[in-house]
Amino acid sequence: AQSVAQPEDQVNVAEGNPLTVKCTYSVSGNPYLFWYVQYPNRGLQFLLKYITGDNLVKGSYGFEAEFNKSQTSFHLKKPSALVSDSALYFCAVSVTNTGTASKLTFGTGTRLQVTL
Amino acid sequence: DTEVTQTPKHLVMGMTNKKSLKCEQHMGHRAMYWYKQKAKKPPELMFVYSYEKLSINESVPSRFSPECPNSSLLNLHLHALQPEDSALYLCASSQGGYNEQFFGPGTRLTVL
């Protein structure tokens, strides 16, 4: 069975400092990995994905993620955090491809708190 | 238009009521999804429609009944719900394959 793990319930960082939100995965076959962000009482917003190719993936709002096959990790990073980045972040893996549809399995989420 | 819309935003219903949640997208996506999300938890997949046909039902109780009238619309019919069904219900759509899913803002459902 495919799964993702987010080992940190919360990450605290000061504004202007770099941030990392960790994600590790377990899949059989090629991993298809995603990061989403959720603000309070809102739906999920897509940040970036890794399908194949370059291990460093750039996404929305200055976020990037590094795919590491040997460590089975897909950590989310940003060089300089903003207070407005404070939100709940989910890592996800696409586990099946039933025709046109894919099935996402989410990690438990990491709350990012950025303070002044 | 890269938006998924959901109505209503909030819904309060009794355990004997019948109500429906609606979802709409105009991105030409052929896959549409319903998720249930409890507070501070990840979304849990409920149903997947592919080309307007139900392709995945994650063993959801029959008091939840999905419907896909056309390629742009997805409904979730609710009947005889329980208080534990109170949650944020999210709709999503995608082009399929390993493309990202686009999520709507959700409907906050409270069952009294």
Side-chain angles (χ1 to χ4, degrees), chain B residues 30-89:
Chain B
R30 288 301 190 177
M32 297 187 76
Y33 311 78
W34 279 116
Y35 290 86
K36 173 183 178 180
Q37 186 181 25
K38 292 284 215 179
K40 300 182 181 180
K41 298 291 186 183
E44 299 174 9
L45 184 64
M46 300 175 72
F47 303 104
V48 181
Y49 273 82
S50 176
Y51 284 101
E52 301 165 43
K53 294 189 187 305
L54 184 64
S55 64
I56 296 177
N57 178 339
E58 292 289 276
S59 302
V60 178
S62 60
R63 57 185 184 268
F64 294 92
S65 175
E67 178 196 20
C68 189
N70 60 55
S71 60
S72 300
L73 293 174
L74 187 64
N75 298 323
L76 186 62
H77 303 297
L78 314 173
H79 175 54
L81 294 193
Q82 304 297 310
E84 59 265 29
D85 296 323
S86 298
L88 182 67
Y89 287 84

Side-chain angles (χ1 to χ4, degrees), chain A residues 43-64:
Chain A
L44 277 69
Q45 295 178 29
F46 168 75
L47 284 178
L48 49 80
K49 66 182 177 185
Y50 173 82
I51 304 299
T52 187
D54 195 346
N55 290 342
L56 184 63
V57 179
K58 293 189 182 297
S60 305
Y61 314 118
F63 284 94
E64 57 189 29

Side-chain angles (χ1 to χ4, degrees), chain A residues 67-114:
Chain A
F67 172 71
N68 188 316
K69 188 172 182 178
S70 63
Q71 297 185 8
T72 63
S73 66
F74 189 55
H75 300 332
L76 181 70
K77 301 183 179 190
K78 188 175 183 182
S80 178
L82 298 172
V83 172
S84 57
D85 293 328
S86 299
L88 186 58
Y89 290 79
F90 290 103
C91 182
V93 62
S94 185
V95 296
T96 60
N97 183 8
T98 58
T100 59
S102 61
K103 181 178 174 180
L104 284 177
T105 295
F106 289 90
T108 51
T110 298
R111 182 160 303 282
L112 174 66
Q113 187 70 48
V114 182

